[in-house]
Amino acid sequence: MMNNVQPGILAPVPKLARYLSFSLKAGSRPARAIRLLVGLANGESIVVGLGQSLVHALGGNISGLRVFPTQFGSGLILPSSSSALWFWLRGDDRGELLHLSRKAAAATASAFDLESVIDGFKHDTGRDLTGYVDGTENPKGNKARHAAIVQGYGAGLDGSSFVAVQQWVHDFERFESMPSKEQDNSIGRRKSDDKELTGAPRSSHVKRTAQESFSPEAFLLRRSMPWSDGNAGGLNFVAFGKSFDAFEAQLKRMVGAEDGVTDALFKFTRPVTGSYFWCPPMTKGRLDLRALSM
Ligand code: HEM
């Protein structure tokens, strides 16, 4: 049993969520704001991630943490927003989430500007807004811990996790104009029963990302949730790993860096942000920032 992990990482996705991203105010000294944050964040209703710019501003270094790359080896340029601080607020009551996010923003206001707020939710039994079940092939139990949680690096690092976050915006009109066979082929699974298609095309998303087909195997703990704002919507892709290696291996294949085949997802959806964060471990119910000498 690992009790030094922010519990929201390993738990199933909640009914509702809010994602807050912050940038550092120019010239600010964030240590005080981070201490206030430690008093607020329990790792369960608030999962916290620190970006590389923040770790540097605190005078620290987390090996393996870097800025989200814009290129993964093909001509496709992906957006990198690389925020300084990220909160994943988890709950089941929209009012409570609003008040929690106001508290979190107030606690950090001396050093951070709130850049974006994304409202996320569970759709049906856990489907993407295209109707496909998302998360089926996620590792579970010990395999989930093994994929997502740093172990064997000593106190302060063990129990932490690296998270990749991308907001994807769906073009629903484009998606709905595709015949259902083409829709199923783009994912590589059947929408009606979530069965994997035999003979799915190489461009299908699950062929691109089949975790066991990489060497070494590239398992990720995906905790993505649909988002909406007015009539716009998509997926807030969130993947935890013991490093960013598995995520980068997956994305390389998705953009066609290995064989020139682009993931069919790109026909109807695009990322508009991209950030990497380090999610610190916990000790006695509090965020453990000893890796940053705090
Ligand atoms: C809008 C963006 C995306 C959508 C709608 C989407 C949707 C899906 C769906 C429906 C599945 C099949 C069911 C499942 O196993 O979960 C799946 C599988 C998967 N996706 Fe995505 N995904 C998106 C982006 C990404 C990205 C950016 C990555 C990684 C860089 C990724 C990695 C994976 C992996 C590893 C699997 C499981 C593959 C396997 O081992 O079978 N996905 N995704």
Side-chain angles (χ1 to χ4, degrees):
M1 254 318 269
M2 259 192 261
N3 56 9
N4 61 345
V5 180
Q6 294 188 53
I9 296 175
L10 295 169
V13 293
K15 194 171 147 214
L16 295 173
R18 236 176 185 224
Y19 304 90
L20 309 184
S21 301
F22 298 84
S23 57
L24 262 176
K25 285 187 171 147
S28 71
R29 309 237 308 251
R32 198 175 69 92
I34 294 298
R35 280 195 197 96
L36 284 176
L37 172 65
V38 168
L40 191 69
N42 57 9
E44 181 139 34
S45 54
I46 309 187
V47 173
V48 174
L50 315 185
Q52 199 203 25
S53 58
L54 172 56
V55 167
H56 280 183
L58 291 167
N61 177 47
I62 299 293
S63 173
L65 179 62
R66 47 187 177 264
V67 165
F68 192 94
T70 54
Q71 274 175 307
F72 289 83
S74 76
L76 206 60
I77 308 283
L78 300 183
S80 164
S81 23
S82 298
S83 309
L85 178 66
W86 176 75
F87 299 156
W88 175 24
L89 309 185
R90 310 167 70 259
D92 56 17
D93 182 297
R94 209 166 157 172
E96 279 173 20
L97 285 177
L98 169 69
H99 290 307
L100 193 56
S101 64
R102 290 180 50 247
K103 257 196 202 162
T108 50
S110 64
F112 297 91
D113 286 321
L114 182 56
E115 262 180 349
S116 92
V117 177
I118 298 172
D119 281 306
F121 51 90
K122 189 165 170 176
H123 170 43
D124 192 52
T125 51
R127 292 175 193 268
D128 174 66
L129 289 169
T130 52
Y132 289 88
V133 177
D134 188 20
T136 312
E137 295 293 336
N138 251 335
K140 292 173 186 70
N142 277 337
K143 287 188 175 153
R145 289 164 206 268
H146 181 74
I149 308 299
V150 174
Q151 286 169 81
Y153 286 82
L157 289 174
D158 289 355
S160 70
S161 183
F162 294 93
V163 67
V165 182
Q166 287 180 302
Q167 184 180 20
W168 290 70
V169 180
H170 291 358
D171 180 341
F172 293 114
E173 282 70 32
R174 173 78 187 83
F175 182 75
E176 286 157 6
S177 75
M178 290 161 55
S180 67
K181 181 109 179 60
E182 189 185 347
Q183 294 182 355
D184 284 356
N185 275 339
S186 68
I187 297 293
R189 284 183 175 266
R190 222 169 19 221
K191 195 192 292 191
S192 55
D193 58 6
D194 193 31
K195 282 260 157 51
E196 202 165 339
L197 300 181
T198 46
R202 281 163 72 208
S203 60
S204 71
H205 180 55
V206 302
K207 272 275 161 67
R208 293 281 100 195
T209 55
Q211 296 159 104
E212 283 161 349
S213 71
F214 292 81
S215 145
E217 291 181 342
F219 280 92
L220 286 175
L221 185 62
R222 288 170 294 133
R223 289 289 185 256
S224 313
M225 296 179 78
W227 65 271
S228 74
D229 183 9
N231 279 343
L235 189 72
N236 204 43
F237 179 83
V238 172
F240 294 92
K242 59 188 171 194
S243 76
F244 293 118
D245 293 353
F247 172 76
E248 291 188 356
Q250 303 273 359
L251 211 47
K252 265 187 192 144
R253 268 206 199 150
M254 287 177 65
V255 301
E258 290 175 8
D259 55 6
V261 179
T262 309
D263 195 308
L265 276 183
F266 283 99
K267 287 201 255 183
F268 62 84
T269 185
R270 287 269 157 172
V272 294
T273 67
S275 292
Y276 281 166
F277 305 99
W278 176 69
C279 302
M282 301 198 71
T283 298
K284 297 193 182 114
R286 287 165 72 92
L287 293 181
D288 177 348
L289 296 176
R290 82 181 92 168
L292 302 173
S293 309
M294 289 185 76

